[in-house]
Amino acid sequence: MTERDERRIYNKLENFKILCFLRMMMMATTTTTTTTIKDRSHSPQSVTRKSTIGSKTKTLLLLPSSSSSSSLRRRRRGRNTATTKASDRTHLTNLTDSGEMKKKAQLAISSCITETKNLESLKEFTRYEGKVRDTYVFKDVLVAVTTDRQSAFDRHLANIPFKGAVLNMTSFWWFEKTKEICENAVLVSPPVHPNVSIMRKCDVFPIEFVVRGYLTGSTSTSLWTHYKTGGRNYCGNFLEDDMVKNQKLTKNIVTPTTKEKEHDRPISIADIVSENWMNEEDLNYCVEKTLEIFEFSQKIASERNLILVDTKYEFGKCPKTGKIYLIDEINTPDSSRYWIQNSYEERFAKNEEPDMIDKEFLRLWFASRCDPYNTSEKLPEAPTELKIELSAKYALLYEMITGETFEIPLLQSNKDANKIVDEKIKQALIDLKIDYK
């Protein structure tokens, strides 16, 4: 069976489950939310909160803080099912009402930043176009514009309002939080525009430092697929027997992948050195910082009722100073897997998939209507309703991850939106005193 066949089968199996989950999430994000909590001196009770601030209505969700429970008890064949007690403590989190966000997304459909090649401010820069991020390089400066393009199946699917801003602003939030652990390549902070990053140009290491805290995944190259078929050594990390899907690993592990033209491949730390991808000193530094950043980020996520399950980091070296910086993006909804914390243990004990804020429904919509891998066929146009739903999900993820209100970018036409980006970049480059000679 080919990998494409595996994906098709997986899509069909997951479709019903994800649709059910989406309905649940839509109900959960209505203006009035009812949440069951546990108090140290009281029995479980239903608490409803509704807050009106000015003319905007917001939903107040009661979320548990980081869990103080003991080690996770697992269901195994022939054993009793048990779950650890959730934390008693709660804190109040303010999330923008989904209805308000969808209205903004509806207005912003024509404001998406999708094409950057005509930016006058970057005409002297060398342009590299990615699936989502367009990168411009001139001498020691790199300018990245994170667009609103949504890709899957190695194809462009749709343009999603606010997506680029969410990814870029999430990265900036994490860059600020982690800068004491590892310096990053950011030159201009806060960003001159929600979709724009201005950074040092670094020589990028040809390795992605994937880091994992849980035994999960569904693709042919995932950690769980490797494990359930008998694999106990993954990228040089030894895995114990009798583990089950979605179980927390005994410790976080780094499972690097190479960056290659044809396809990336998992590789061990030892092979990275023996195959001359990196020298040992630089590699050890990047692995150390990967684990430090990930562990710190997991603690922050836990305070937000989230589990940071896995993610990937990239590093580069400044050619002038030889210093290594964290680059690209960090802990974004696209580069990372997040689960909802307060339901994890109960669902794990029942052999149920963890709750998450799902972004896969757009991909599944295409997969159910055509063969998206067949590049000879034109893809159907995604419904506006799905684009709006996905836009609201991205904004919700930003607020859940950062605890901050997502600021809606100026709603302009696509042409005017690009003009604003151009003007902001131009002024920033003037301030940096870029010498174009």
Side-chain angles (χ1 to χ4, degrees):
M1 182 181 293
T2 66
E3 184 173 347
R4 182 178 297 181
D5 291 333
E6 290 180 358
R7 288 173 180 165
R8 289 174 181 164
I9 293 172
Y10 172 73
N11 288 344
K12 292 179 180 179
L13 291 174
E14 291 291 296
N15 193 26
F16 177 74
K17 179 172 64 179
I18 289 177
L19 287 175
C20 290
F21 177 69
L22 283 174
R23 289 174 185 167
M24 179 187 71
M25 289 304 302
M26 290 174 71
M27 292 175 64
T29 54
T30 55
T31 304
T32 303
T33 299
T34 302
T35 305
T36 299
I37 63 171
K38 288 188 177 180
D39 184 84
R40 291 181 187 270
S41 57
H42 298 83
S43 59
Q45 54 185 318
S46 289
V47 179
T48 302
R49 297 286 186 267
K50 186 176 179 180
S51 173
T52 302
I53 303 175
S55 61
K56 294 184 179 180
T57 301
K58 293 194 173 185
T59 302
L60 301 181
L61 300 179
L62 286 170
L63 301 177
S65 60
S66 56
S67 174
S68 59
S69 59
S70 59
S71 60
L72 187 63
R73 298 173 185 171
R74 304 181 295 272
R75 166 188 272 188
R76 291 182 184 165
R77 189 172 300 175
R79 299 189 182 185
N80 294 329
T81 299
T83 58
T84 55
K85 183 179 179 181
S87 171
D88 293 332
R89 294 171 298 169
T90 62
H91 65 270
L92 209 57
T93 299
N94 228 357
L95 298 177
T96 301
D97 177 66
S98 64
E100 290 292 319
M101 192 61 69
K102 288 177 183 178
K103 289 178 183 178
K104 297 292 187 181
Q106 174 76 59
L107 295 173
I109 284 291
S110 61
S111 300
C112 293
I113 296 174
T114 60
E115 181 54 67
T116 69
K117 64 183 178 182
N118 294 321
L119 295 179
E120 186 68 20
S121 59
L122 299 174
K123 63 182 181 180
E124 299 294 333
F125 285 60
T126 302
R127 180 174 184 267
Y128 304 91
E129 182 175 326
K131 294 177 182 178
V132 174
R133 189 179 288 104
D134 293 342
T135 303
Y136 295 80
V137 176
F138 182 84
K139 293 186 177 179
D140 300 331
V141 177
L142 179 149
V143 178
V145 182
T146 308
T147 71
D148 296 321
R149 300 191 294 259
Q150 181 77 16
S151 297
F153 315 109
D154 294 325
R155 301 179 72 176
H156 173 68
L157 300 184
N159 300 317
I160 308 300
F162 314 144
K163 177 193 171 182
V166 165
L167 298 182
N168 195 55
M169 296 304 292
T170 301
S171 279
F172 267 83
W173 190 86
W174 280 113
F175 277 136
E176 182 66 23
K177 292 289 183 183
T178 60
K179 65 183 181 182
E180 299 301 323
I181 299 174
C182 180
E183 285 193 61
N184 55 67
V186 174
L187 282 176
V188 180
S189 183
V192 297
H193 184 279
N195 294 67
V196 176
S197 301
I198 300 179
M199 298 188 167
R200 289 182 179 81
K201 177 185 176 296
C202 294
D203 293 333
V204 181
F205 295 120
I207 297 292
E208 287 190 350
F209 290 86
V210 181
V211 56
R212 309 172 189 269
Y214 291 77
L215 183 64
T216 192
S218 57
T219 65
S220 59
T221 58
S222 74
L223 184 59
W224 169 244
T225 300
H226 176 81
Y227 186 89
K228 73 178 182 180
T229 55
R232 293 295 181 270
N233 184 329
Y234 194 80
C235 298
N237 298 284
F238 292 95
L239 305 170
E240 64 184 39
D241 291 329
D242 300 323
M243 296 182 71
V244 295
K245 188 180 182 185
N246 300 326
Q247 182 176 335
K248 183 176 176 62
L249 300 173
T250 54
K251 64 178 182 179
N252 295 327
I253 61 173
V254 179
T255 59
T257 61
T258 60
K259 294 182 182 179
E260 302 186 45
K261 290 183 179 180
E262 295 300 323
H263 62 275
D264 299 343
R265 62 183 173 91
I267 187 171
S268 69
I269 302 296
D271 287 342
I272 290 175
V273 176
S274 64
E275 295 180 19
N276 296 317
W277 290 94
M278 293 177 65
N279 67 53
E280 188 172 3
E281 181 180 359
D282 290 345
L283 176 61
N284 288 341
Y285 178 85
C286 292
V287 170
E288 176 186 344
K289 293 304 175 183
T290 292
L291 290 169
E292 286 184 31
I293 294 168
F294 187 61
E295 182 178 354
F296 173 81
S297 300
Q298 284 182 312
K299 291 177 181 177
I300 297 295
S302 179
E303 295 171 1
R304 305 289 309 138
N305 189 35
L306 294 171
I307 297 173
L308 178 56
V309 179
D310 48 44
T311 189
K312 61 95 177 174
Y313 303 129
E314 296 188 49
F315 298 88
K317 179 182 284 189
C318 176
K320 285 188 174 180
T321 65
K323 195 167 189 174
I324 295 176
Y325 293 96
L326 180 65
I327 63 170
D328 196 49
E329 62 181 344
I330 170 175
N331 299 338
T332 69
D334 277 11
S335 67
S336 315
R337 192 191 319 258
Y338 287 94
W339 291 339
I340 307 301
Q341 179 176 260
N342 64 345
S343 61
Y344 165 72
E345 294 184 3
E346 180 180 356
R347 295 182 68 84
F348 178 77
K350 295 178 179 178
N351 288 336
E352 296 176 351
E353 289 296 306
D355 283 333
M356 65 190 76
I357 304 300
D358 177 69
K359 302 188 284 75
E360 292 298 290
F361 53 87
L362 183 65
R363 182 180 67 84
L364 292 173
W365 184 88
F366 282 96
S368 67
R369 285 161 175 77
C370 64
D371 178 4
Y373 292 101
N374 184 357
T375 55
S376 64
E377 293 184 6
K378 184 179 179 180
L379 291 173
E381 177 72 19
T384 298
E385 292 77 12
L386 284 184
K387 297 177 187 178
I388 292 171
E389 183 71 30
L390 186 53
S391 176
K393 287 288 188 287
Y394 270 106
L396 173 63
L397 277 164
Y398 173 83
E399 295 191 347
M400 291 184 71
I401 292 169
T402 67
E404 299 178 0
T405 300
F406 178 67
E407 299 295 336
I408 305 296
L410 288 174
L411 300 179
Q412 306 286 339
S413 67
N414 180 266
K415 181 178 179 180
D416 290 337
N418 277 4
K419 183 179 179 181
I420 293 172
V421 170
D422 205 11
E423 290 174 350
K424 296 293 186 180
I425 293 174
K426 181 180 179 181
Q427 185 58 53
L429 296 180
I430 290 173
D431 293 342
L432 286 175
K433 299 180 180 179
I434 302 297
D435 182 6
Y436 291 103
K437 297 179 181 180

